Amino acid sequence: MTAPSWLTWLMVGGALLLLPPADPVRERVRMLALRGRLEAIERSRVRRRELPPVGNLSPLVVGIAAGLPVVAGAGAPLGLAVAVAAATSWQLVRDGLRRRSDRRAATALLSAVRVVVAELSAGSRPAAALDAAAATDPHHAETFAAAAERARSGTDADEVLASASQLVSFAHAWRLGAVAGVPMADVIGRVAGDLASRAKQGRTVSSALATVRSSAALLAVLPVLGVALGSAMDAEPLGFLFGNPAGRWVLLAGVVLDAAGLLWTQRLAVRAERA
């Protein structure tokens, strides 16, 4: 073999050494997809990074922390207005983060159930299917892992699965397949279909409510635009709202009404999403 051929093979070998190692989970999913076992697994990975624990900080605490310094420096009306605005803003931000976290959890659960169906259809043991689900869904990883240990030891895994409220239907399907002798992949496939229908309905409702939330936000900003327009016309609304004692109470009343409208719209939207 000539010298240029040796150099070519040496360069090819070096390039192969630089390639990243194969991901066994990705290869398993790809193999199942090629065999026709996995129909519609999501292309995007579910992020394992959890959202910050925003539920621990109350909007009342945020409002008090933001309003107290203003009360001490500019009086009660302005301090209360700042407190109401801060508490309302934090409540809306917290609700938005919770909706985002719920959507991620639902997507992860659907992916995990579909992986279980794919594994069982491919001939994997139940414990291996549950291990794959634990690696897919970070929100229920401990429950799936504990259920896999129970299945590996020959005991009922549905009791562990039913301990999580989001996995009750999955646990019932698992129990039905184990007791009645029904193909477990078919029964759990029905659960995956139900979860997919719920996710689609949730996306439809969220899209419909996005217009409502945008309209509410626009209406909340309109008073600020009115004040800006008055300032442009030399009406001096800021001097009245911040410099006049009566104007400060008017400002407080406007902020309270604005916040009440935003919170009421948010409450109606949340009730519509949960219906």
Side-chain angles (χ1 to χ4, degrees):
M1 187 174 291
T2 61
S5 299
W6 280 104
L7 292 176
T8 301
W9 284 107
L10 183 61
M11 294 175 63
V12 171
L16 292 176
L17 291 177
L18 294 176
L19 291 177
D23 188 353
V25 176
R26 179 181 296 178
E27 291 298 322
R28 176 65 173 168
V29 172
R30 186 178 65 84
M31 181 270 295
L32 292 174
L34 292 176
R35 293 180 60 179
R37 305 294 185 178
L38 192 58
E39 294 182 356
I41 189 169
E42 287 73 15
R43 294 180 180 273
S44 60
R45 291 183 178 181
V46 178
R47 298 180 182 177
R48 293 180 177 270
R49 183 179 299 178
E50 297 291 338
L51 292 173
V54 295
N56 297 333
L57 190 58
S58 172
L60 180 61
V61 175
V62 174
I64 293 175
L68 279 180
V70 182
V71 170
L78 291 181
L80 291 175
V82 171
V84 171
T88 303
S89 301
W90 178 247
Q91 179 66 39
L92 296 177
V93 169
R94 187 174 68 168
D95 290 344
L97 291 177
R98 283 180 175 176
R99 288 196 306 272
R100 185 179 180 183
S101 178
D102 292 342
R103 286 195 298 267
R104 286 184 176 180
T107 302
L109 179 58
L110 177 58
S111 299
V113 175
R114 284 176 171 172
V115 166
V116 170
V117 174
E119 291 284 348
L120 294 175
S121 300
S124 300
R125 294 183 177 274
L130 292 174
D131 284 332
T136 305
D137 185 1
H139 304 276
H140 301 94
E142 296 182 359
T143 304
F144 280 123
E149 292 297 328
R150 294 286 295 271
R152 195 172 290 111
S153 63
T155 55
D156 296 333
D158 57 287
E159 296 180 0
V160 178
L161 294 171
S163 62
S165 59
Q166 293 84 1
L167 299 178
V168 172
S169 59
F170 182 86
H172 291 335
W174 190 275
R175 180 66 176 175
L176 179 61
V179 174
V182 182
M184 194 171 292
D186 296 339
V187 181
I188 298 178
R190 299 292 183 87
V191 177
D194 181 65
L195 290 176
S197 299
R198 292 182 183 179
K200 183 178 180 180
Q201 181 182 3
R203 289 192 297 268
T204 302
V205 174
S206 297
S207 299
L209 292 175
T211 304
V212 177
R213 291 192 171 98
S214 299
S215 300
L218 179 60
L219 292 175
V221 175
L222 283 180
V224 180
L225 297 179
V227 171
L229 181 60
S231 299
M233 298 173 61
D234 295 331
E236 298 184 357
L238 295 178
F240 171 74
L241 293 175
F242 291 96
N244 192 298
R248 295 182 178 182
W249 288 105
V250 171
L251 175 63
L252 174 59
V255 171
V256 169
L257 293 176
D258 208 1
L262 285 173
L263 294 177
W264 182 252
T265 303
Q266 178 67 13
R267 180 182 179 184
L268 294 178
V270 171
R271 291 179 62 181
E273 289 176 341
R274 293 178 178 177

